[in-house]
Amino acid sequence: MKRQAMLLIASMLFFVPAAPAQTQSSAPTETLIRNATVLTVSRGTLRNSDVLIRNGKIAAIGQNLRAGANARVIDATGKYVMPGIIDCHSHSMIDAVNEGTLSVTSMARIRDVLNPTDVDLYRELAGGVTTLNILHGSANAIGGQNTVVKIKYGRPVEEFIFPGAPPGIKFALGENPKRSNFPPLPGQPRRYPATRMGVEETIRDAFTRARNYKAAWDEYRARLARGEKNLIPPRRDLQLEPLVEILEGKRLVHAHCYRADEILMLIRLAEEFGFKVRTFQHVLEGYKVASEIARHGAGASAFADFWAYKIEAYDAIPYNAAIMVRHGVNVSINSDSDERARRLNIEAAKMMKYGGLTEEEALKLITLNPAWQLGIDDRVGSIDVGKDADLAIWSGHPFSVYSRVEMTFVDGEVFFDRQQDLVRRAELERERAQLEQAEPNRPPAQGGAPPPAPRPRRTAYEHADDIWDGGDHDQ
């Protein structure tokens, strides 16, 4: 009982949990958002327009729409509706970020360490974010497999998984995989590779082995199809199977990188083995090789203005995203941070100042472009009939620092409601006051030891690839 009381009050010191999301049975099948300014992203801005949501999909967009008698009707006069924000580089809701013991950990899966109770998810919903690309860390030349999720906070983890999203994997180049800033403990050998050329060799060796592994299986299946008997299949290799999927175009590569030379290196290597890099992540020197990135067909998922925290980030400029856009690269702005993820709308707005992107181009940086980069643009990223009803209602234009999210929908269900949040705060304050009176939480008698203080929550950028490189949060 004492431990339970302490855990309860510790949790309440640091966050306001969400009100329970509506269940499938109680949620209305229709929602009509009336008289809003609709930022479709794909078809411009629609003034004084309605959005009809039916069975989790966008059913109609226009003026004077009608809904059924039991529909939820929301008056959005003077407000803005935009697609749910998509974060193409996130480490939210994971209980471990790096498996750093090997240079190639393609067999590790982020799907196995998802934590659906992470309160950062609720805060991201409050910032209009609905979809995350949950990536492995950058400790390895070839890291673990990613997971794309919809933020259905309060639901079982199985409901988070984005159905049909193409599988992906994390690569990393530069200082992190060569472990420049993470020397080994005394008496332990340094892990290979320790140089940029070693990182390249590690990736080439892995794909050489994967190509041979694929050839062995192709031969086995061909002989099986010819009716040969008593065949012994090749030994399964869980490290190489994801790389074979890359060679077959079935798994997307998301590559952490900074410098222009390493970006060109991975482009050359990918073309040597016949696959495409789907996104270069961070890509701070992408402006130097924007034409080459566009020619390869890769996307770029960048920071707006986060850099100078280590040597290889020193050549970053705020015009990076705009220059890549002007050269034909599909560009997104990502967070790599539980804190930055709550304000990706402002990160995108900065690109109108640094490089002169139009409003629609800037909106695409956090909606339709990352949707393409994750292979889900047929489902999300814009407000179009038939797409998933993942969207947010804002009090004002999303690019204003004075605007805030009033409601966030995922598959047509409300997962953040500011009015409910305000009501819940008063309830939580009352609950906290009760817990403070519980015997384990009372001030100690004279001379007694005070109750242990709750552990503070993670710092703002503790989960970023380059700031926090550990494993479990408890370490």
Side-chain angles (χ1 to χ4, degrees), residues 128-146:
V129 182
T130 56
T131 300
L132 304 173
N133 182 27
I134 312 293
L135 287 168
H136 187 273
S138 54
N140 324 85
I142 300 178
Q145 302 168 35
N146 73 312

Side-chain angles (χ1 to χ4, degrees), residues 68-320:
N70 296 323
R72 176 203 291 123
V73 179
I74 300 170
D75 182 6
T77 302
K79 300 174 184 178
Y80 286 72
V81 177
M82 73 170 285
I85 292 172
I86 301 170
D87 188 353
C88 197
H89 189 128
S90 172
H91 301 292
S92 296
M93 77 175 296
I94 53 178
D95 285 335
V97 66
N98 268 317
E99 176 53 61
T101 53
L102 300 173
S103 301
V104 178
T105 58
S106 46
M107 58 285 189
R109 307 190 310 172
I110 284 296
R111 170 68 179 82
D112 297 329
V113 292
L114 296 180
N115 174 12
T117 66
D118 184 351
V119 71
D120 292 303
L121 298 170
Y122 181 63
R123 295 184 174 122
E124 289 162 19
L125 285 167
V129 182
T130 56
T131 300
L132 304 173
N133 182 27
I134 312 293
L135 287 168
H136 187 273
S138 54
N140 324 85
I142 300 178
Q145 302 168 35
N146 73 312
T147 301
V148 179
V149 302
K150 291 194 176 197
I151 307 180
K152 296 192 174 183
Y153 188 64
R155 297 291 178 80
V157 69
E158 290 78 12
E159 295 190 33
F160 280 72
I161 309 304
F162 198 117
I169 194 167
K170 178 73 172 293
F171 282 23
L173 311 174
E175 292 185 5
N176 287 20
K178 70 189 184 72
R179 316 308 287 151
S180 299
N181 303 309
F182 305 96
L185 296 174
Q188 291 186 353
R190 185 167 184 175
R191 194 197 75 181
Y192 180 85
T195 65
R196 294 179 191 274
M197 60 184 175
V199 171
E200 178 180 6
E201 189 280 332
T202 296
I203 299 173
R204 174 173 280 104
D205 172 75
F207 275 101
T208 299
R209 290 186 287 117
R211 189 166 54 186
N212 294 338
Y213 179 71
K214 179 181 183 300
W217 272 100
D218 288 345
E219 180 184 2
Y220 167 76
R221 294 187 180 104
R223 294 177 65 185
L224 202 64
R226 291 195 297 267
E228 296 187 33
K229 306 296 183 183
N230 302 320
L231 297 176
I232 299 176
R235 179 181 179 274
R236 286 193 65 191
D237 191 321
L238 299 182
Q239 183 189 63
L240 296 180
E241 285 184 0
L243 306 186
V244 171
E245 292 175 344
I246 295 171
L247 294 174
E248 294 175 339
K250 299 175 181 177
R251 185 174 292 276
L252 307 179
V253 173
H254 304 289
H256 163 117
C257 61
Y258 287 80
R259 290 179 16 178
D261 54 353
E262 65 192 20
I263 295 169
L264 294 177
M265 175 275 291
L266 189 57
I267 288 175
R268 287 192 294 265
L269 191 150
E271 292 176 350
E272 173 187 336
F273 283 92
F275 68 89
K276 297 283 188 182
V277 178
R278 186 65 166 195
T279 67
F280 287 100
Q281 298 283 331
H282 308 322
V283 63
L284 298 189
E285 292 188 17
Y287 66 95
K288 297 181 179 180
V289 289
S291 296
E292 289 80 1
I293 295 172
R295 192 176 304 120
H296 178 69
S301 191
F303 295 132
D305 55 5
F306 181 54
W307 50 65
Y309 43 83
K310 59 179 183 175
I311 294 296
E312 65 181 4
Y314 274 21
D315 266 8
I317 61 173
Y319 300 91
N320 182 40

Side-chain angles (χ1 to χ4, degrees), residues 306-359:
F306 181 54
W307 50 65
Y309 43 83
K310 59 179 183 175
I311 294 296
E312 65 181 4
Y314 274 21
D315 266 8
I317 61 173
Y319 300 91
N320 182 40
I323 291 174
M324 289 191 289
V325 168
R326 294 290 176 252
H327 281 76
V329 180
N330 179 294
V331 179
S332 69
I333 297 294
N334 67 53
S335 76
D336 194 20
S337 157
D338 296 331
E339 295 297 319
R340 192 185 295 113
R342 299 187 296 160
R343 55 179 188 273
L344 282 173
N345 58 309
I346 301 303
E347 298 295 288
K350 293 175 183 177
M351 300 302 97
M352 296 178 69
K353 173 179 175 61
Y354 296 110
L357 294 188
T358 66
E359 178 184 300

Side-chain angles (χ1 to χ4, degrees), residues 404-420:
R404 61 194 179 203
V405 173
E406 298 194 348
M407 298 183 80
T408 302
F409 297 80
V410 180
D411 287 335
E413 295 185 64
V414 177
F415 280 87
F416 172 77
D417 185 325
R418 179 172 172 79
Q419 294 306 312
Q420 289 186 14

